[in-house]
Amino acid sequence: IMPSACDSLIEDIEDMVSSSDPTPHERQSARKSIIPRSRKKKELSNEELQADSLIPGTQKIWMKTWGCSHNNSDGEYMAGQLAASGYKMTGLNPAVISPRQPQAISLSHNSLFYRKKAQDQQKKVVVAGCVPQAQPRMDYLKGLSIIGVQQIDRVVEVVDEAVKGHSVRLLGQKKDGGRRLGGARLDLPKIRKNPLIEIISINTGCLNACTYCKTKHARGDLASYPIEELAERARQSFQEGVCEIWLTSEDTGAYGRDIGTDLPTLLWRLVEEIPEGAMLRLGMTNPPYILEHLEEMAKILSHPRVYAFLHVPVQSASDSVLMDMKREYCIDDFKRVVDFLKERVPGVTIATDIICGFPGETEEDFQETIDLVKLYQFPSLFINQFYPRPGTPAAKMEQVPAHVKKQRTKELSQLFHSYNPYDHKVGERQHVLVTEESFDAQYYVAHNKFYEQVLVPKRPEFKGKMIEVDIYEAGKHFMKGRAVEDSKPFTPSIAAPLQKGEVSGLIQ
């Protein structure tokens, strides 16, 4: 969805909607059972072009998403609502932000690029997400329509007004009886980029106050969805043919602390909903909130329908740097989490994040981080060169020189690429779940129990299925596997593949 280069700025969208207009909800309800399908290209007549330019709900929408899986989930919900209201979605394009290209820079650069491109073609643009929510007065957002992170259920109204030539900003927080709500409703229509994968946000916001983070400014404090709403969302997704669910949020470990429950309670409930042939992947959790649940988390990660994978950002191995970051844990806490899970869940994959060149980081601090990576040889490591985001406490601290940050990032990257985490797995027989196509379109991409990437032969009958493969090659980021004929079931509990189906009311 792109921002709108319009003339007038309207602070309250209600001022633009007359009582006689059909509401987006009414328009959407009238199309409950409509499932958008790809259309063959055809030449449009002048009449059609004229209609497209004037009537909201008849236009084509192109969407680009940057950032985390939470952003991707929001994008899928917005696309679903727009399609249900009559708009034609011509693309849903998530983009991965490079570790060396901070998201704030990328968004401002790309917003300017797409704004100019849209203006040149006389197109309208709408912007959504964390960065515009947190910094709506940035120069590159002037005159553009903005949808706040808690307002994505009103995307149709905003786009309707953009089509009419108005600029609208919806940035308010939603509350119920004084308590801040989570994001949009979980039962909204959705267009999944990958029809086999459902991304579920279990909570929004977090309990931390990290000095470098801008997301907190946008998403706010922790607000968790009720367990039964999440269970219903998972159940509906599986009924529609999904075979893999990702749980996401700014911090999954903090789930439930605002509503009197916790993450293990939610996970055990969701496990009940996972059908045969499907898997669950848990998203990022910070060390402080997982420490008290280690025993239960080890049991859950050992469950045959849950990937033995956990993303636990460390950011730095120096306690003094962690204190300046206000991360609320020490390096021994992080090591305790990793060591416990490695002992109780043999083969578990621990992914982590590291920031190079945080303000005040000394050579000794950085060496501690190098030693940590040498010790654990993380198979998945997200390396970020520190960038001072405007308005954050870290931006006001004494900065590490740019050339030093660059050199430390390079040194850590070289260390990461010096070891091959999968070499010892060549010759293994593994059971993998096939969910997507590789970037070069030569293979299907699958994941084993430890969420390690395995490239398999591109045979249509494999898509969405659990198959057995022999590993014959290993690279830095993936393995390659040959299909084993007459394979045995993965486990008795997930032997049969889930058949894809359609459910009226949800757009796939």
Side-chain angles (χ1 to χ4, degrees):
I1 300 169
M2 298 288 106
S4 154
C6 308
D7 299 325
S8 58
L9 178 66
I10 299 163
E11 294 298 337
D12 192 346
I13 196 170
E14 277 80 359
D15 294 339
M16 294 302 304
V17 182
S18 74
S19 58
S20 60
D21 289 340
T23 67
H25 178 72
E26 290 169 343
R27 192 195 304 172
Q28 177 180 310
S29 298
R31 293 170 169 83
K32 265 189 175 180
S33 59
I34 295 178
I35 297 178
R37 307 187 186 281
S38 59
R39 294 172 172 80
K40 294 182 179 179
K41 292 183 178 179
K42 64 176 182 178
E43 294 297 325
L44 295 176
S45 68
N46 290 333
E47 288 184 347
E48 286 176 305
L49 288 172
Q50 186 178 10
D52 269 1
S53 67
L54 297 173
I55 304 171
T58 64
Q59 289 73 21
K60 294 179 180 178
I61 302 286
W62 182 83
M63 177 181 290
K64 190 77 173 179
T65 307
W66 290 272
C68 65
S69 56
H70 197 160
N71 284 349
N72 283 317
S73 178
D74 284 353
E76 291 180 350
Y77 274 125
M78 287 189 281
Q81 293 172 83
L82 289 166
S85 295
Y87 288 98
K88 303 172 184 67
M89 302 305 299
T90 63
L92 184 59
N93 302 293
V96 177
I97 299 301
S98 163
R100 297 185 185 180
Q101 183 185 25
Q103 185 172 330
I105 294 177
S106 177
L107 180 61
S108 62
H109 171 80
N110 284 295
S111 289
L112 286 170
F113 171 78
Y114 286 118
R115 176 178 180 172
K116 186 177 186 308
K117 190 173 182 180
Q119 286 175 326
D120 290 346
Q121 299 180 20
Q122 297 185 322
K123 307 294 184 185
K124 307 302 182 183
V125 184
V126 178
V127 134
C130 295
V131 176
Q133 171 83 55
Q135 299 173 284
R137 291 180 174 82
M138 293 294 284
D139 287 343
Y140 67 91
L141 293 172
K142 285 182 178 178
L144 302 183
S145 289
I146 299 177
I147 304 170
V149 294
Q150 283 207 319
Q151 303 287 344
I152 64 171
D153 57 340
R154 302 183 68 184
V155 63
V156 174
E157 299 171 71
V158 175
V159 172
D160 282 354
E161 293 306 318
V163 168
K164 298 173 186 175
H166 304 131
S167 183
V168 182
R169 296 191 171 196
L170 289 179
L171 298 167
Q173 299 286 328
K174 293 183 178 180
K175 295 185 178 181
D176 180 16
R179 186 179 73 84
R180 180 176 173 273
L181 297 174
R185 299 193 333 267
L186 294 174
D187 61 351
L188 292 172
K190 169 182 278 196
I191 295 180
R192 303 184 185 96
K193 175 183 176 285
N194 185 335
L196 298 176
I197 298 176
E198 168 72 1
I199 306 172
I200 302 179
S201 301
I202 62 174
N203 55 266
T204 63
C206 70
L207 295 174
N208 296 333
C210 301
T211 55
Y212 56 81
C213 182
K214 199 69 181 175
T215 305
K216 173 79 172 193
H217 293 227
R219 301 275 184 187
D221 292 328
L222 181 70
S224 304
Y225 287 100
I227 287 180
E228 285 309 311
E229 286 186 22
L230 294 165
E232 175 57 32
R233 179 71 221 177
R235 183 184 309 118
Q236 186 179 26
S237 299
F238 286 127
Q239 288 173 348
E240 289 156 7
V242 161
C243 63
E244 187 170 287
I245 279 186
W246 298 356
L247 301 184
T248 185
S249 76
E250 284 63 62
D251 186 351
T252 59
Y255 172 81
R257 287 171 175 254
D258 58 321
I259 57 174
T261 184
D262 55 37
L263 180 62
T265 302
L266 169 65
L267 293 176
W268 284 125
R269 176 66 185 86
L270 291 179
V271 162
E272 297 175 16
E273 301 296 336
I274 305 174
E276 296 180 345
M279 295 292 286
L280 175 71
R281 192 195 81 172
L282 183 60
M284 186 274 287
T285 178
N286 285 310
Y289 307 115
I290 205 70
L291 275 168
E292 64 190 76
H293 301 310
L294 285 178
E295 287 278 0
E296 285 301 295
M297 290 304 301
K299 294 176 184 176
I300 291 166
L301 294 177
S302 298
H303 192 282
R305 301 188 195 185
V306 179
Y307 286 118
F309 168 90
L310 199 61
H311 178 192
V312 189
V314 65
Q315 306 301 7
S316 173
S318 164
D319 283 342
S320 63
V321 173
L322 291 174
M323 185 175 297
D324 288 341
M325 290 179 172
K326 289 194 174 179
R327 288 293 285 169
E328 300 182 359
Y329 59 87
C330 63
I331 193 59
D332 284 343
D333 292 333
F334 175 80
K335 288 181 175 179
R336 183 183 163 205
V337 171
V338 177
D339 292 342
F340 185 94
L341 293 178
K342 279 181 169 289
E343 178 186 351
R344 298 295 183 91
V345 190
V348 66
T349 294
I350 302 293
T352 197
D353 301 6
I354 289 174
I355 297 174
C356 294
F358 187 81
E361 182 187 64
T362 65
E363 284 297 333
E364 291 75 19
D365 294 329
F366 179 66
Q367 188 57 49
E368 289 184 76
T369 298
I370 290 287
D371 292 341
L372 183 78
V373 176
K374 286 180 179 177
L375 174 62
Y376 290 112
Q377 296 196 353
F378 301 102
S380 183
L381 179 62
F382 302 93
I383 303 170
N384 300 280
Q385 182 175 308
F386 176 75
Y387 169 77
R389 286 172 168 78
T392 60
K396 302 173 184 176
M397 299 177 181
E398 184 176 352
Q399 303 297 305
V400 172
H403 72 278
V404 175
K405 291 192 289 187
K406 184 175 181 180
Q407 177 57 37
R408 289 176 184 174
T409 303
K410 181 179 178 181
E411 183 178 342
L412 187 58
S413 297
Q414 289 174 337
L415 171 58
F416 173 64
H417 287 284
S418 70
Y419 58 85
N420 295 313
Y422 306 131
D423 283 355
H424 67 287
K425 300 205 170 190
V426 173
E428 286 186 0
R429 181 165 289 186
Q430 300 180 357
H431 293 82
V432 298
L433 179 59
V434 184
T435 55
E436 54 193 313
E437 188 178 83
S438 62
F439 286 120
D440 62 8
Q442 299 301 306
Y443 300 91
Y444 276 156
V445 178
H447 292 90
N448 61 20
K449 162 68 177 172
F450 310 105
Y451 203 69
E452 296 164 337
Q453 187 169 273
V454 180
L455 303 183
V456 302
K458 192 176 177 182
R459 288 163 49 181
E461 66 269 24
F462 288 168
K463 200 75 176 285
K465 304 288 182 62
M466 188 78 71
I467 66 171
E468 193 173 26
V469 298
D470 287 327
I471 304 300
Y472 67 90
E473 185 180 327
K476 176 63 182 175
H477 302 287
F478 59 82
M479 294 167 273
K480 290 183 179 179
R482 294 190 185 94
V484 177
E485 299 297 330
D486 300 322
S487 62
K488 291 182 263 186
F490 183 37
T491 67
S493 60
I494 53 175
L498 181 69
Q499 297 301 311
K500 184 177 179 181
E502 295 181 348
V503 172
S504 174
L506 192 83
I507 300 170
Q508 298 182 23

